[in-house]
Structure formats: structure tokens, C-alpha cells
């Protein structure tokens, strides 16, 4: 028996179909019946027509093998091996398996939901956002909210999630009113949550409502108003009807009794007048910080200013939208795993230099490590899950001092800084792990990396300047 698949490898998109042809030749000297069946992961969405071939000695037959993977998360993207088992009826020990490979194309599909759509609370409330990955490849989403002024604040936690195919990811929404409603019934505050999928320019918007009842309900205010009216009526009637009071006491006739005349207590003498204290002469400072008193000058000329010591500090600002966002260690925290995000404003020392970075250059392989100035010893790290799955989320992670000095770091902690195609001093920050570029998600929750491209948006272009 002789078998052959033509072609041995093919590709198919979920929701479509593709096929190969199986050839079988009877090399024996008797009439044989061959039963055909599919084996492997692709067997669930494949079929053979016909599934039985009857061949005379030396004859050859063909069967069509078609694959139609469904457009669901069950059809994993990538190569899938398969086999066609050929089982002779008269000579089963001569069974054979013709092996091939079919590559399933990738597609992305996402469904988002706000649970519940209406939340209620006097001071604060919580809700959840669910992200269902209906595609056949992992997806990363980030969350942001519109500015609701002082009326409402909505804080998603975490700011970004990565969801495997066929799974769902969740984030908690902490909703807090800007002010307490004491009287006035129930207030309704609409809010909007934007869910942005990595690689897609337009976000998906989810709308919800926060219902805020007042501390004092209207029925209680009505009762208090009625009681106050009754009290006012009682007071009016009381003062209009003043009761008469009579007494039988009479003044006794005769001489008046004099009170004994004792010594009058002397009035205390006023305290002595305090002399005004002299106001100390204010000290003046010259430009170098030395103290000077009024009327005197320093003996000699001022010395040169000392230059600050320590490594150079840099700001890293994207070109997104023309204005750009600063890359930052969120809130300047020093814990491993703290997310690295973006901020459109310069925060100064509010979080302790969280928008300043130290660039360590390793000339051996022309790579860099980016150390956060607010978390000494912690460097920019591309998150790797405990199961070994490499994500595209950015965080900080402490490294050993000797490794930071020599550059003996993991590939997900080392970066190449190259000129961007747009020129004008723009730079690309490329991961040594998988060649993806640092991408400005334009929110202060979490930055990510995405595949580099010659004509990529300005979210991948950064301006690096010494502070």
C-alpha cells in the first residue's frame, strides 16, 4: 500500500474551509478495501469524502479531505498537525497514517459588559467591567474614564488586563461622589468607561449610571417641617394668652433696716505696662545661600556654584497627539510589579521623581536598562506571568546592583534605543525580548508594547531629554 497527501501543508481562516487530496495505491495482489479516518486536533472540524476506497491490485484511488474550523476561540491560531489513518480490511497490520499540517489564521473579537449598569450609594459604590475574548489569540485591553469634573470619580483597578482566548477578564470600578447630597431626593450621575484594545485606535465605550440618594429623605423633611409648624403655632398662642399672676405679699410698715456697711473690696490694680520687645533684624541671603546681616557685606567675592553629583536624569515623553505623555513609575512606588504608565502633565516632585529615568548603556551589545529615579535599583520590566507567558504590560522590577552595572539582565529588562522613522530627534524604545516597541496608551494606568512599524502612529515615538 502506498499513500500521499497533496499538498502536505495548507492554511485556513476560521469560518472558511480548505482541503487536501489523499492518494492511495493498492500495491498488493488482491482486491482490498481501505477505511479512511482523521486523527489529531483537527479531526473535530474535518471530514473525508469518500471514507472507504475499494481498489483492485495496482489500482489507485483518491479522497478529498476538507477542514472548516469554526470562527470561535476553540480554533487556536497557529499550525495544527493532523493525520489520515488508512486501514486495509484484509490486511489490517499494514495500516498507515498519512501526516500533514494545517495552519489556522488568527482573528480578534471582543465583547465588553458593565456589571451592573446602574449602581447605588450615598458616598461610594462599586461595579465590574467584564472583557470576553471571543477570538483565538490573547488580547490586551486598558481602561480609562472621561473627566466628570468634581461630581464623580471612577477608578478602574487594574488599569489593564490580558485575556486568553475563550476566557474573560474582570476589573473593579471604584465610584465615588464628589460631594455628599444631604437634602434633595436622589441624584443621578452618568459616567462613561472606555475600553481600548491593543492595536485598535477607537475604544469601546460603556455607559453606566451612579444613583446617589440624599442623607435625609424627603418624607423625613416633611415630618420635620410639620413639627416645626406646630411648634411655631404653640409659641404664638402662648405669648398671645399671657396668664395673670397675683400675690398676697405686703410690705411691712416701720423703719427700714439698713444693711451693714463693710469695707468695699479694692479694685485690682492694672498690670504693669510691658516694654515692647525689639524685633530681631531679618537675615538676608545672597544668591549662593550664605547669610548676610543688614548693614554689612561679605568680605570676599562669591565662589562658584557646585554642580549636582549623581547620574544624569532624563524625561521620556511621547509624541502622541502632538503634545505627548510622560512615561512614569505610577505614584513613585518602589514595590516590584508596580505598573509603569503615562501622564500628560509634569508632576515635578509630587511623587518623588517618578517621571525621571536613569539610562544605563551597555556598549557590549548596545542595549539599555531604564532605572526609575523614584525607585532606586528598580528598572523597566516587561511582565512575565508565573506560568512563563510573556505579556506586553510594563512594570518596575528590582535588579541586583552588580547585574545592573554589568548588564547581566533578562531579555525582558533590556532595551534598544534607536532613531524613529519620523526624525526630529524622535526615538523608538525596542524590547530585546520580542522586538516590540514601547507604546503610549495615553492613560495613567499602564503602558504596553506593540509591534514596531515604519509608519506606526506617534504613540511609538519618544523624545528623551536630560533634565
Amino acid at each position: 500500500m502506498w499513500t500521499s497527501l497533496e499538498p502536505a501543508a495548507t492554511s485556513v481562516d476560521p469560518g472558511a474551509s480548505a482541503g487536501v487530496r489523499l492518494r492511495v495505491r493498492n500495491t498488493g495482489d488482491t482486491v482490498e478495501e481501505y477505511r479512511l479516518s482523521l486523527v489529531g486536533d483537527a479531526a473535530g472540524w474535518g471530514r473525508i469524502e469518500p471514507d472507504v476506497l475499494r481498489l483492485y491490485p495496482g489500482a489507485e484511488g483518491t479522497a478529498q479531505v476538507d477542514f472548516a474550523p469554526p470562527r470561535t476561540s476553540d480554533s487556536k491560531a497557529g499550525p495544527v498537525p493532523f493525520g489520515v489513518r488508512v486501514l486495509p480490511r484484509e490486511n489490517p497490520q499494514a495500516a498507515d497514517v498519512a501526516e500533514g499540517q494545517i495552519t489556522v489564521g488568527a482573528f480578534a473579537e471582543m465583547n465588553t459588559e458593565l456589571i451592573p449598569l446602574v449602581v447605588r450609594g450615598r458616598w461610594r459604590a462599586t461595579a465590574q467591567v467584564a472583557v470576553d475574548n471571543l477570538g483565538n489569540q490573547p488580547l490586551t485591553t486598558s481602561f480609562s474614564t472621561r473627566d466628570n469634573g468634581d461630581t464623580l470619580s471612577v477608578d478602574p483597578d487594574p488599569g489593564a488586563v490580558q485575556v486568553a482566548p475563550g476566557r474573560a477578564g474582570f476589573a473593579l470600578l471604584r465610584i465615588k461622589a464628589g460631594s455628599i447630597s444631604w437634602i434633595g431626593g436622589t441624584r443621578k450621575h452618568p459616567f462613561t468607561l472606555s475600553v481600548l484594545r491593543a492595536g485598535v485606535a477607537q475604544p469601546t465605550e460603556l455607559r453606566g449610571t451612579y444613583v446617589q440618594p440624599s442623607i435625609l429623605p424627603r418624607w423625613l423633611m416633611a415630618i420635620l417641617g410639620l413639627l416645626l409648624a406646630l411648634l411655631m403655632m404653640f409659641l404664638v398662642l402662648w405669648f398671645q394668652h399671657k396668664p395673670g399672676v397675683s400675690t398676697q405679699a405686703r410690705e411691712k410698715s416701720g423703719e427700714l433696716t439698713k444693711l451693714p456697711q463693710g469695707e468695699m473690696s479694692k479694685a485690682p490694680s492694672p498690670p504693669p505696662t510691658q516694654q515692647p520687645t525689639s524685633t530681631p533684624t531679618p537675615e538676608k541671603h545672597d544668591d549662593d545661600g550664605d547669610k548676610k546681616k543688614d548693614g554689612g557685606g561679605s568680605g570676599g567675592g562669591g565662589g562658584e556654584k557646585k554642580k549636582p553629583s549623581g547620574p544624569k536624569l532624563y524625561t521620556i515623553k511621547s509624541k502622541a497627539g502632538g503634545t505627548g505623555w510622560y512615561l512614569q513609575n505610577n505614584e513613585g512606588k518602589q514595590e516590584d510589579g508596580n505598573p509603569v504608565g503615562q501622564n500628560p502633565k509634569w508632576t515635578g516632585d509630587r511623587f518623588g521623581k517618578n517621571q525621571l529615568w536613569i539610562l544605563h548603556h551597555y556598549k557590549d551589545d548596545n542595549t539599555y536598562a531604564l532605572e526609575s529615579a523614584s525607585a532606586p535599583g528598580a528598572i523597566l520590566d516587561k511582565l512575565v506571568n508565573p506560568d512563563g507567558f510573556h505579556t506586553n504590560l510594563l512594570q518596575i522590577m528590582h535588579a541586583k546592583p552588580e547585574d545592573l552595572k554589568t548588564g547581566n539582565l533578562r531579555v525582558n529588562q533590556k532595551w534598544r534605543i534607536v532613531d524613529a522613522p519620523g526624525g526630529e530627534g524622535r526615538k523608538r524604545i525596542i524590547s530585546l525580548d520580542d522586538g516590540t516597541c514601547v507604546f503610549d496608551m495615553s492613560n495613567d494606568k499602564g503602558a504596553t508594547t506593540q509591534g514596531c512599524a515604519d509608519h506606526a502612529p506617534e504613540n511609538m515615538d519618544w523624545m528623551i531629554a536630560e533634565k
Side-chain angles (χ1 to χ4, degrees):
M1 178 181 62
W2 172 85
T3 59
S4 174
L5 280 175
E6 297 177 355
T10 186
S11 60
V12 64
D13 290 328
S17 62
V20 297
R21 186 175 62 172
L22 173 68
R23 297 173 57 192
V24 180
R25 184 184 302 160
N26 185 358
T27 58
D29 53 2
T30 60
V31 177
E32 185 63 270
E33 180 180 277
Y34 300 95
R35 297 186 179 275
L36 311 178
S37 60
L38 275 172
V39 294
D41 295 337
W45 30 271
R47 67 174 184 175
I48 304 176
E49 184 67 31
D51 58 356
V52 176
L53 293 176
R54 295 179 179 85
L55 302 177
Y56 288 96
E60 181 178 307
T62 61
Q64 182 68 24
V65 183
D66 292 323
F67 297 97
R71 191 176 174 82
T72 65
S73 58
D74 295 332
S75 303
K76 304 294 183 176
V80 180
F82 70 92
V84 181
R85 179 186 288 114
V86 182
L87 180 62
R89 181 177 181 181
E90 301 297 333
N91 192 15
Q93 65 274 12
D96 188 20
V97 176
E99 297 181 349
Q101 178 177 285
I102 184 167
T103 301
V104 180
F107 76 97
E109 188 173 345
M110 178 184 71
N111 183 43
T112 57
E113 184 179 4
L114 190 63
I115 307 172
L117 293 175
V118 179
V119 293
R120 186 182 182 91
R122 287 186 170 87
W123 292 278
R124 58 179 61 87
T126 58
Q128 275 190 327
V129 56
V131 180
D132 295 316
N133 185 358
L134 305 180
N136 63 351
Q137 60 180 342
L139 64 83
T140 300
T141 58
S142 61
F143 310 105
S144 61
T145 56
R146 290 184 176 177
D147 187 8
N148 296 289
D150 297 332
T151 61
L152 198 66
S153 64
V154 181
D155 186 18
D157 182 25
V161 295
Q162 188 168 52
V163 188
R167 305 297 295 272
F170 297 89
L172 182 66
L173 297 181
R174 292 185 173 91
I175 306 171
K176 185 178 180 181
S179 60
I180 299 176
S181 175
W182 292 98
I183 304 173
T186 301
R187 299 180 182 178
K188 294 183 178 181
H189 305 282
F191 63 91
T192 301
L193 177 71
S194 296
V195 183
L196 180 62
R197 190 179 75 198
V200 177
Q202 294 297 328
T204 300
E205 293 189 343
L206 302 177
R207 291 177 172 82
T209 304
Y210 170 56
V211 178
Q212 182 187 20
S214 300
I215 300 298
L216 301 177
R218 288 185 175 179
W219 62 266
L220 180 59
M221 295 304 301
I223 293 177
L224 291 177
L226 180 61
L227 292 177
L228 181 61
L230 293 175
L231 178 61
M232 295 295 293
M233 292 176 60
F234 174 76
L235 292 176
V236 170
L237 293 175
W238 171 263
F239 285 108
Q240 285 182 351
H241 179 70
K242 189 174 182 180
V245 180
S246 62
T247 179
Q248 295 181 354
R250 297 289 184 269
E251 184 178 347
K252 186 178 179 180
S253 61
E255 295 182 355
L256 295 176
T257 304
K258 294 183 178 181
L259 293 175
Q261 302 294 323
E263 284 190 7
M264 299 295 291
S265 60
K266 296 181 180 180
S269 59
T273 305
Q274 295 182 356
Q275 296 295 330
T277 58
S278 59
T279 304
T281 303
E283 296 179 345
K284 295 183 178 180
H285 297 266
D286 58 9
D287 293 338
D288 295 332
D290 297 328
K291 295 181 180 180
K292 288 184 179 181
K293 295 185 178 180
D294 289 342
S298 59
E304 295 183 357
K305 295 182 180 180
K306 294 183 179 180
K307 294 183 179 180
S309 60
K312 294 182 179 179
L313 302 179
Y314 294 86
T315 58
I316 303 175
K317 186 178 183 182
S318 78
K319 293 293 290 182
T323 57
W325 291 49
Y326 289 94
L327 193 68
Q328 67 177 17
N329 175 18
N330 284 358
E331 299 184 4
K333 294 183 178 179
Q334 301 192 31
E335 297 85 357
D336 286 347
N338 191 56
V340 171
Q342 306 94 160
N343 197 310
K345 299 179 181 178
W346 171 249
T347 60
D349 290 334
R350 177 184 174 191
F351 297 117
K353 302 179 181 179
N354 72 314
Q355 291 176 339
L356 295 178
W357 299 87
I358 302 169
L359 305 184
H360 298 270
H361 185 207
Y362 308 111
K363 296 183 179 180
D364 293 342
D365 55 359
N366 194 24
T367 59
Y368 291 82
L370 279 64
E371 179 183 2
S372 173
S374 63
I379 59 178
L380 186 65
D381 178 280
K382 198 153 74 71
L383 173 64
V384 178
N385 286 338
D387 58 359
F389 180 77
H390 288 232
T391 73
N392 61 349
L393 302 178
L394 298 183
Q395 62 179 4
I396 64 166
M397 184 68 64
H398 281 79
K400 295 180 180 179
E402 57 271 18
D403 294 342
L404 186 57
K405 181 177 180 181
T406 61
N408 185 23
L409 304 169
R410 297 191 297 273
V411 292
N412 62 311
Q413 297 175 336
K414 300 184 74 174
W415 309 84
R416 295 190 188 277
I417 300 179
V418 301
D419 293 334
E424 301 178 358
R426 305 182 184 187
K427 302 292 182 181
R428 292 277 177 87
I429 306 175
I430 304 174
S431 171
L432 201 63
D433 181 18
D434 54 4
T436 55
C437 286
V438 176
F439 188 84
D440 180 8
M441 298 292 289
S442 295
N443 64 54
D444 57 357
K445 303 303 178 186
T448 65
T449 65
Q450 291 192 18
C452 302
D454 292 339
H455 303 287
E458 290 184 335
N459 300 63
M460 289 185 182
D461 293 353
W462 300 85
M463 302 297 292
I464 302 177
E466 183 176 351
K467 182 62 178 176

